[in-house]
Amino acid sequence: MEILAFGVQDDERPLIERAFAGEHEVRCVDVFLNGDTAAIARGYEAVSTSVNADLGGPVLQTLAAGGTQFVAQRSTGFNNIDLDVAERLALTVARVSSYSPYSVAEFAWTLAMAVNRRVVRAANRTRDFDFRLEGLMGRDLRGRTVGVIGTGRIGEAFTRIAHGFGMNLLGWDLAENPVCAGLGMRYVEREELFREADVVSLHVPLLPSTEHLVDARALGLMKDDAILVNSSRGGLIDTRALVDVLRAGRLLGVGLDVYEAEAGLFFYDKSLDVVTDDVLARLMTFPNVVVTSHQAYYTEDAVTEIVDTTVRNVRDYVAGRHSENVLVPARPPR
């Protein structure tokens, strides 16, 4: 079977081609799947997509009309997929339900530390041979309180690092993680977590119930000198409310690897374009905000695991098997 893989980065290509070698032919393209590019999948029974692919109803209809029967998404989140339409079209859809949690957890702490110790500002200064320390003072993390929103595999890995720093641990989730509790985490209501935490890090999926989890009210509860980190999904934060809070001079800093309107921006070179997203443009002006382009997962270890799981998903599809990665099993069209 020949597979068309959308949105393949140069670093990923050899990993994908090596993983599929001798089993299936894979054609890697660097364009991302959306309404303009879906037509190039015509004739491919299987396609593999990246995290920011548009898998809404119109795109799925184009894929199905072109003969596609299987969609293998190379990510855990699936808020970008219209599962109801996929089911009506009898498309089988699979994802990567888990991969190295350390990649994201470590990067979340990278963002937190970069904000706390003003690493970006310091690096920019020293490139100009400005070696002053004014404005670069950070804080020890030991003895301070971290609030972990979501204590699944990634939240647990993040908590282990926080425990190593010697921090007080607060957690919020629908179910307590016994490993985190064993490290001394105290589970509290969200409001208490926002009020008490010096660092708040988000590790929950984007669902209708979690959209804008960090809204104006939650931000209003946070300490004026708290740090907010989001390495999960951009829609967890009401970015307009965040801009208002930053404009008012509140929060020590913010580290964002995701943005709620990142589709069509992240993973692209927009350096020569006019920025039309006024909210993102305003966000970028704050010196205490660090924004990266959805790269938390992007380690050799994690990407290799993602690719290997995608290969297994293809094998399961060919064999007619359903694993925990299958979001929509094939059914006859309605």
Side-chain angles (χ1 to χ4, degrees):
M1 182 170 65
E2 191 172 8
I3 302 161
L4 179 61
F6 284 95
V8 177
Q9 307 292 322
D10 288 343
D11 299 330
E12 292 179 285
R13 185 182 297 267
L15 299 177
I16 292 175
E17 291 176 343
R18 184 164 58 245
F20 280 102
E23 191 167 352
H24 298 286
E25 291 185 34
V26 59
R27 176 190 171 197
C28 296
V29 294
D30 58 3
V31 297
F32 295 94
L33 177 61
N34 55 41
D36 294 327
T37 62
I40 68 175
R42 176 171 293 276
Y44 288 90
E45 180 180 348
V47 299
S48 177
T49 61
S50 58
V51 62
N52 268 350
D54 175 1
L55 285 165
V59 172
L60 291 174
Q61 289 170 2
T62 299
L63 292 176
T68 297
Q69 299 178 40
F70 177 55
V71 177
Q73 175 140 297
R74 302 187 308 278
S75 72
T76 299
F78 54 92
N79 53 286
N80 60 319
I81 308 173
D82 192 325
L83 300 179
D84 292 333
V85 171
E87 184 177 1
R88 288 199 302 271
L89 295 170
L91 288 169
T92 301
V93 180
R95 63 164 177 159
V96 177
S97 58
S98 65
Y99 57 88
S100 166
Y102 311 107
S103 59
V104 179
E106 291 170 5
F107 194 81
W109 273 115
T110 300
L111 287 174
M113 294 299 291
V115 170
N116 179 39
R117 302 305 300 269
R118 277 70 169 190
V119 172
V120 175
R121 182 185 297 179
N124 289 337
R125 277 189 187 178
T126 55
R127 284 183 179 275
D128 292 329
F129 292 89
D130 179 352
F131 300 104
R132 294 172 300 159
L133 296 181
E134 285 83 359
L136 301 182
M137 183 175 288
R139 303 184 301 185
D140 288 358
L141 292 178
R142 181 176 179 82
R144 287 191 161 81
T145 299
V146 63
V148 186
I149 303 287
T151 55
R153 294 176 72 244
I154 295 174
E156 178 187 319
F158 182 89
T159 299
R160 288 181 182 274
I161 298 171
H163 181 261
F165 280 135
M167 302 186 75
N168 302 313
L169 309 174
L170 296 180
W172 178 85
D173 207 328
L174 298 179
E176 295 187 9
N177 184 327
V179 173
C180 294
L183 293 172
M185 173 172 280
R186 183 165 60 92
Y187 280 86
V188 296
E189 296 298 321
R190 274 184 298 173
E191 291 77 11
E192 182 177 350
L193 185 149
F194 285 123
R195 281 195 300 266
E196 298 298 326
D198 298 295
V199 178
V200 175
S201 190
L202 309 179
H203 301 286
V204 292
L206 179 59
L207 303 168
S209 59
T210 60
E211 185 172 6
H212 286 183
L213 186 73
V214 182
D215 56 11
R217 180 174 178 275
L219 290 164
L221 293 172
M222 292 179 65
K223 297 179 179 180
D224 287 347
D225 60 352
I227 294 172
L228 175 63
V229 176
N230 188 9
S231 57
S232 183
R233 288 293 183 268
L236 298 175
I237 296 177
D238 182 342
T239 315
R240 291 183 181 276
L242 178 60
V243 167
D244 290 340
V245 165
L246 291 167
R247 186 185 290 119
R250 298 189 56 245
L251 298 185
L252 180 69
V254 179
L256 301 176
D257 186 51
V258 287
Y259 171 60
E260 61 181 324
E262 69 182 54
L265 288 172
F266 283 21
F267 304 148
Y268 293 93
D269 180 1
K270 297 290 184 179
S271 59
L272 299 179
D273 296 348
V274 174
V275 177
T276 57
D277 188 325
D278 293 338
V279 176
L280 181 60
R282 185 69 181 92
L283 196 62
M284 294 287 203
T285 65
F286 295 104
N288 58 338
V289 174
V290 176
V291 178
T292 52
S293 54
H294 207 139
Q295 71 180 80
Y297 78 98
Y298 205 56
T299 66
E300 182 178 346
D301 309 81
V303 173
T304 297
E305 194 171 348
I306 288 169
V307 171
D308 289 345
T309 301
T310 301
V311 172
R312 289 196 298 273
N313 288 341
V314 172
R315 288 175 185 154
D316 287 342
Y317 164 75
V318 172
R321 295 188 297 262
H322 290 160
S323 71
E324 73 280 1
N325 295 324
V326 175
L327 296 169
V328 181
R331 292 193 177 103
R334 293 176 179 173

